[in-house]
Amino acid sequence: MKKIIVLNHKMNFEKDDIVKYIRNIKDMIPADKEVVICPSSCFIPYFDGKYNFKLGAQNGMYKVRSSCTGEISFEQLKSFNVKYALIGHSERIAHFNESNQMINKKIKSCLDNNILPMLCIGETDVEKSLRKTPRVITNKIKECLSGIKIDDSFIIIYEPVWAIGSGKIPNSKEISEIVNFIKDLVYLNYKVDIKVLYGGSVNATTLKTLVNIEELDGFLIGSASVDVEQIKRIFDII
Ligand code: PGA
């Protein structure tokens, strides 16, 4: 199975940089990987072409054609060939109070529009120190997937909140255990084998360890994804 590599640009780049970025990265995409680029929404039209990577959204709105100033629906994103969407990223929870109920509606709307949702889940440092990770994950999956039928294309990204942008990652044993826990939990409840990626401080250095974790189906790369030279090194490692 092809490993999935998701590049989350967050709020980086301006118009001229993005044109240059696409020009540089399009010839670097490895054929044996599924690469998904999630640019800022304003740059999505720049990616609407015949490229060897897939286009992802960093967010979307579950309402359709409604009075919702400033939002972009998954239906609109679909019309630009968006195939994937990050859902419930911890930065959206921190800045916009996204609730599990909202995340649930977003997942439904993605699936209605043939967009593959990538549900982000992970514990905070406090939850980790209190050994609450399995409970946090169980609750998140239960509430976010309530009433939703998923199949084996579904993606969960295990992304510990404390690892994002910190340069720190869990050790390999911890990641393996949590990824297996997520896969088993989903199998038990939905009878499907989903894919689980890891996110949080993934870069050319941390990947030397992360790449050996067999259970992982891929990676979500944030800050390192804006540096084309680093991306090249990352593709060589994975
Ligand atoms: P990071 O971010 O790679 O900069 O830690 C990952 C993400 O939040 O998408």
Side-chain angles (χ1 to χ4, degrees), residues 8 10 89 91 159 163-166 199-202 220-224:
N8 176 15
K10 307 197 183 202
H89 192 286
E91 286 157 13
E159 188 167 55
I164 300 173
S166 68
S201 292
V202 179
L220 168 65
I221 303 166
S223 3

Side-chain angles (χ1 to χ4, degrees), residues 87-94 98 100 103 118-129 131-142 144 155-164 170 174-175 178-179 181-182 185 196-200 220:
I87 303 293
H89 192 286
S90 71
E91 286 157 13
R92 296 216 49 90
I93 297 171
E98 272 190 17
N100 289 348
I103 292 171
M118 302 182 285
L119 171 63
C120 301
I121 58 180
E123 79 285 357
T124 62
D125 48 358
V126 174
E127 288 162 344
K128 181 176 164 63
S129 64
R131 296 176 188 276
K132 280 188 174 171
T133 305
R135 206 189 309 164
V136 168
I137 284 174
T138 306
N139 186 50
K140 191 91 190 166
I141 290 177
K142 191 168 149 249
C144 295
I155 296 170
I156 288 183
I157 303 179
Y158 171 54
E159 188 167 55
V161 179
W162 56 269
I164 300 173
E174 286 171 322
I175 297 178
I178 294 168
V179 170
F181 177 79
I182 295 171
L185 183 75
V196 179
L197 318 187
Y198 170 81
L220 168 65

